[in-house]
Amino acid sequence: MQTTATNHYRDLVHLGTPIVVGQVGNLVLNFADTFMIGHHSTLELAAASFVNNIFVLAVLFAIGFNFAITPIVGPLIGRNERQQAGAALKAGFYANAVLIVLLAVCSIAFYLMLPHFGQPEELLPLMRPYLLVNILSLPFTVIGCQMKQFYDTIGKTSISMYVLISGNLLNVAGNWALIYGNCGMPELGLLGAGIATAVSRMLIAAAFCCLLLTKREFCIFKIGIAEARRDDVNGYFKSLHRLGWSSALQSTVECGAFSLVAIFVGWTGTKPLAAHQIMITMSMFFYNLYLGIATAISIRVSHYVGTGDTEEIVRVTRSGFFIIIAMAATVAVPVFCFRHDIGFLFTADRTVCRLVAATIIPLILYQISDAFQCCLANALRGLGEMRLMMYAAVFAYFIVSLPLSWWLGIVMKYGIVGIWSAFPVCLTVAGLLYWLIFRKRLSVHGGMPGQ
C-alpha cells in the first residue's frame, strides 16, 4: 500500500519530535553557558561570544561531515541490510579519526592567532583557557556527532534525545558549581563553563558507545562491526570521505556566516559582541526546532532511496516543508512580542538588551527563508547530493552574506542590526538554489544515487 501524505506528516512528527527535543536539549547547553556567564560578567559573556562563534565552526564541520552517514546507512536500513550498516559504522570511526586530527590542528592554529583578530585586549586572558578546554573536548564531540547521526538514521531518535538531555542537565549542574563556586568548587567563571561543557561532551560520547555495546537490539550492528570485510569498510570509508567533506563544508559555511560576523561585531565594541552572543542563542533556538523535523526528512528520504521510490521522496519532502513552515510562523510571534524583554534573560546590561531588541527584527524576517532552506538542504542530504549544495552554500553565505554584512554594519555604520540584516537575503538565496538542485536531482535518473 502506498504511503499517504497524512502518514508522512504522522511519521515525520513521530521520528522528528525526539530529535527536536534532543536538539532543544542540546541548545540548553549553549543557553546555560550564555545565561550563567552573562550574569557572572559582561566581559566573560563577550569573550565567550567570540570563542564560541569561531570554535563552533569546528563543531559544525564535525556535524556536517557525519551527515554523510545518513545517505550511506539509510539505504541499507531501507533494504534491511543491517549488518552492512555495522560495517559502515566501523568505517565511520576510521573516517572520524582523520577528522579529529584535522580539527585539532585548525583549532590550535586559531588559538595561536587569537591576538590578531582585532578583538578587545581585555578579553584575551579570558578567551585563552576557555578555548583550550574546548579543544581538548574535540575527540568526544566528533564521536558524539557520529553516534547520534547513526542512531537517528536507524530510526532510534529517542536514544539521542535521552542521551543529549542527560548530558545537558549535567552540564547545567557543572556550570552552576564551577562558574559561581558552589558546592565547595572554586569560582572559575568562564573557564568553569568550559570545563563543565567538556565533561558533558565526554559523557555523551561514552553513553552513546555503551548503549551500542550493551543493548541486545544492536547485536546485528556489533556483528557487522566485528565481521566487516576489509573491502566493505574501505568502500564505506571512501564514500564517507567523498560525501563527508562536501557535506561538512556546506554545513559549516551555512552556519559559519553567523559565526564569522562575530569578527565584524567585535569591531563595533564589547556590548554589541555580548548582544551578538544572545542573538546567536536565539537564532539557534529557531534553527534547532526546524532541524529536528528536517533531519527526519533526511532519514526518510534516505530510506526511500534504498527502495527506489522517487514519488515518496517528493511527498515526504513536501510534508516536512509544511510542518517546518507552521513551526516557524508559530514561534516567531511570541519572540517578536517579547523582544524588549528577551535580553534581560541573559544580562542586566540595558545597552545590550536594547541592541538585542533591535536585532530581533531581522531575525524574525528570515525565519520563513530559513525554514525553506533547512527543509531542502536535508532532503538533499538524504539523496546524497552534497557537492552542488556545497557550491550553493558558499555562494549564498560567503559571496552574498559576508560582504553584505560588512557593508551594512561597518561601511554604512548600522552596527549589529545592519550586520544581521544580511541574513534574510542570503537565506532566501540559499533556499532558491537548493530548490533548483532538488528539482534537477530528481529529474535525472529518477533521483536515485549511482543510477
Side-chain angles (χ1 to χ4, degrees):
M1 182 185 299
Q2 193 176 55
T3 306
T4 65
T6 302
N7 286 339
H8 281 315
Y9 284 112
R10 182 197 63 201
D11 292 342
L12 285 170
V13 170
H14 176 75
L15 186 63
T17 298
I19 304 176
V20 171
V21 175
Q23 291 295 132
V24 172
N26 197 40
L27 185 63
V28 170
L29 186 151
N30 186 41
F31 178 89
D33 283 354
T34 303
F35 176 84
M36 294 181 176
I37 293 166
H39 282 276
H40 191 260
S41 162
T42 300
L43 277 180
E44 287 178 321
L45 179 61
S49 173
F50 182 77
V51 171
N52 287 340
N53 279 285
I54 303 300
F55 185 79
V56 76
L57 296 178
V59 179
L60 291 170
F61 200 90
I63 293 171
F65 184 86
N66 283 288
F67 279 150
I69 289 174
T70 296
I72 293 172
V73 172
L76 297 173
I77 299 299
R79 295 191 296 268
N80 201 30
E81 298 175 6
R82 301 174 78 82
Q83 188 166 327
Q84 281 296 102
L89 178 62
K90 183 175 183 178
F93 286 118
Y94 294 139
N96 276 292
V98 176
L99 178 65
I100 288 168
V101 173
L102 173 67
L103 292 179
V105 170
C106 292
S107 298
I108 292 169
F110 171 51
Y111 175 84
L112 296 175
M113 292 294 293
L114 268 180
H116 305 289
F117 284 98
Q119 301 305 299
E121 287 289 333
E122 64 270 21
L123 299 184
L124 293 178
L126 297 171
M127 290 178 179
R128 288 191 176 100
Y130 181 63
L131 176 57
L132 274 178
V133 173
N134 277 278
I135 293 173
L136 291 174
S137 70
L138 260 176
F140 306 97
T141 303
V142 174
I143 296 302
C145 290
Q146 177 189 348
M147 295 305 297
K148 178 189 181 300
Q149 195 67 28
F150 180 77
Y151 283 119
D152 288 347
T153 302
I154 65 175
K156 299 297 182 180
T157 55
S158 59
I159 288 179
S160 299
M161 176 186 71
Y162 289 126
V163 170
L164 290 176
I165 289 175
S166 300
N168 288 319
L169 288 174
L170 289 172
N171 179 68
V172 171
N175 278 339
W176 180 74
L178 293 173
I179 292 176
Y180 302 112
N182 293 313
C183 298
M185 296 293 181
E187 184 178 345
L188 298 177
L190 180 59
L191 177 59
I195 293 171
T197 299
V199 171
S200 71
R201 288 170 176 167
M202 294 177 191
L203 294 175
I204 286 171
F208 276 136
C209 293
C210 286
L211 286 170
L212 181 70
L213 295 173
T214 58
K215 287 183 73 70
R216 180 171 296 180
E217 63 182 305
F218 300 139
C219 281
I220 187 66
F221 300 121
K222 289 188 289 184
I223 293 171
I225 293 172
E227 299 182 0
R229 295 185 304 172
R230 178 176 295 182
D231 289 344
D232 290 339
V233 173
N234 288 340
Y236 291 130
F237 180 86
K238 291 176 182 178
S239 295
L240 280 167
H241 279 286
R242 177 174 54 83
L243 296 174
W245 296 116
S246 296
S247 176
L249 288 170
Q250 183 272 330
S251 181
T252 303
V253 301
E254 181 178 313
C255 296
F258 288 82
S259 297
L260 289 175
V261 296
I263 297 173
F264 302 154
V265 176
W267 294 347
T268 66
T270 297
K271 292 185 185 294
L273 195 57
H276 179 71
Q277 175 63 16
I278 295 171
M279 290 304 304
I280 286 291
T281 302
M282 291 299 302
S283 178
M284 290 301 292
F285 173 74
F286 279 97
Y287 184 73
N288 277 275
L289 288 178
Y290 311 153
L291 188 59
I293 299 299
T295 302
I297 295 171
S298 176
I299 294 165
R300 296 285 291 169
V301 165
S302 72
H303 292 176
Y304 285 122
V305 168
T307 60
D309 198 334
T310 305
E311 291 183 2
E312 292 305 307
I313 289 174
V314 174
R315 290 192 180 99
V316 75
T317 304
R318 184 187 299 120
S319 300
F321 171 72
F322 288 124
I323 294 173
I324 295 174
I325 288 296
M327 293 171 68
T330 301
V331 178
V333 172
V335 171
F336 176 78
C337 293
F338 294 101
R339 65 190 184 279
H340 295 290
D341 304 310
I342 288 172
F344 289 103
L345 294 173
F346 301 89
T347 180
D349 192 306
R350 292 187 175 274
T351 301
V352 173
C353 293
R354 283 196 296 270
L355 290 171
V356 169
T359 313
I360 279 177
I361 302 302
L363 173 75
I364 296 297
L365 289 176
Y366 71 64
Q367 291 313 307
I368 299 298
S369 296
D370 198 14
F372 182 52
Q373 69 84 25
C374 185
C375 170
L376 287 168
N378 281 274
L380 288 170
R381 287 180 184 125
L383 287 168
E385 180 52 79
M386 309 295 192
R387 184 175 55 84
L388 289 178
M389 188 165 60
M390 177 191 69
Y391 295 143
V394 169
F395 177 79
Y397 298 110
F398 278 15
I399 307 302
V400 175
S401 180
L402 289 178
L404 187 58
S405 286
W406 172 77
W407 185 73
L408 291 173
I410 305 303
V411 178
M412 300 303 294
K413 301 186 184 303
Y414 291 125
I416 186 174
V417 176
I419 289 168
W420 275 70
S421 294
F423 294 139
V425 178
C426 73
L427 288 165
T428 300
V429 171
L432 291 173
L433 291 175
Y434 293 164
W435 176 67
L436 292 173
I437 295 169
F438 183 74
R439 289 188 61 183
K440 178 181 178 181
R441 188 68 178 83
L442 291 184
S443 66
V444 178
H445 305 306
M448 296 299 103
Q451 293 184 353

